[in-house]
Amino acid sequence: MTQSGNKVVIFLGPPGAGKGTQAERLAREEGLTKISTGDILRDHVARGTELGQQVKPILDAGALVPDDILIALIRDYLRGMNAVRVIFDGFPRTRAQAEALDRLLEDLGAPVTAVPLLEVPDELLIERIVERGRQAAARGEPVRSDDTEEVARRRQQVYREQTQPLIDYYETRGHLRSVDGVGTMDEVYGRIAAVLH
Ligand code: AMP
């Protein structure tokens, strides 16, 4: 990938597939900005902003925050950029968000470059999420309030109902790149890099 010009990568995949970790490395190595809507929302919750107070119960329940909130957030974020060189992690999550993102990107003259889909079997996902919570606790770090088994199951269900349809959405447009998400972090990263180059 070049270091200049627009580049828009959208990570798709269920909660627990490893999108955040892989997106972070890709951002570092390719000189892109990672936009993780989950991180942004959790930061608002931690700071106790008005938005944070509004969305906290939604995050705790493993449900989705309303589309208009997310779309406004992303619009503000993208408008502040000179070159649009971004990786989306956790956005879009609904068809309305995907359509709004397409419109925003069109206005900015920055079309979607590719959409890697991290595929991990269902039975591994809950295990990974619960393990992530356990490891954060062991390191003395804050544990995500939605990394419990019960909320993780709810998040998988929400993914299947609301976000999985985006696989078709991006496949139809020729952007989808399926990646086997089972393996070491390096193995999975290698596969992602291969489909992007
Ligand atoms: P994540 O860190 O991507 O797993 O997101 C954590 C939580 O933040 C989700 O379970 C949702 O409650 C909320 N969230 C993050 N991104 C979005 C989005 N694009 N649309 C709606 N809710 C979101």
Side-chain angles (χ1 to χ4, degrees):
M1 282 190 197
T2 55
Q3 290 299 306
S4 60
N6 296 328
K7 184 138 292 189
V8 179
V9 177
I10 299 172
F11 265 71
L12 267 190
K19 294 188 299 296
T21 311
Q22 298 294 347
E24 195 164 317
R25 178 163 169 196
L26 188 70
R28 207 168 48 236
E29 297 196 2
E30 305 282 349
L32 305 169
T33 301
K34 182 179 87 141
I35 303 179
S36 162
T37 44
D39 285 350
I40 295 170
L41 294 171
R42 277 187 292 278
D43 179 58
H44 275 278
V45 172
R47 289 187 289 121
T49 66
E50 198 177 314
L51 174 63
Q53 292 174 33
Q54 186 185 350
V55 302
K56 183 179 187 320
I58 303 175
L59 267 68
D60 285 350
L64 291 187
V65 171
D67 288 332
D68 53 343
I69 294 181
L70 268 297
I71 292 165
L73 215 140
I74 295 296
R75 182 184 301 123
D76 289 348
Y77 211 103
L78 291 179
R79 283 210 175 129
M81 298 186 113
N82 289 326
V84 183
R85 297 181 52 77
V86 292
I87 300 181
F88 288 103
D89 160 29
F91 181 91
R93 260 183 161 91
T94 64
R95 188 171 174 111
Q97 291 179 20
E99 288 172 350
L101 179 61
D102 276 346
R103 284 192 296 272
L104 284 173
L105 292 174
E106 198 182 327
D107 286 349
L108 294 165
V112 174
T113 309
V115 181
L117 165 67
L118 274 187
E119 298 194 285
V120 175
D122 280 0
E123 61 272 18
L124 281 182
L125 294 170
I126 304 288
E127 213 173 280
R128 282 194 186 183
I129 288 179
V130 173
E131 184 56 28
R132 174 166 72 190
R134 235 183 257 130
Q135 287 187 5
R139 288 194 300 267
E141 293 169 7
V143 178
R144 282 177 53 166
S145 57
D146 59 354
D147 273 355
T148 63
E149 181 166 346
E150 191 194 343
V151 181
R153 287 194 191 285
R154 172 77 191 129
R155 286 159 60 208
Q156 304 301 341
Q157 189 191 341
V158 169
Y159 174 78
R160 279 193 291 273
E161 290 170 3
Q162 313 252 29
T163 309
Q164 209 148 283
L166 297 186
I167 295 173
D168 273 353
Y169 182 90
Y170 288 113
E171 188 151 52
T172 304
R173 286 159 178 74
H175 298 313
L176 199 78
R177 308 279 183 273
S178 289
V179 173
D180 177 3
V182 181
T184 65
M185 285 192 195
D186 282 344
E187 282 165 355
V188 176
Y189 184 78
R191 292 175 200 144
I192 294 168
V195 299
L196 289 180
H197 291 118

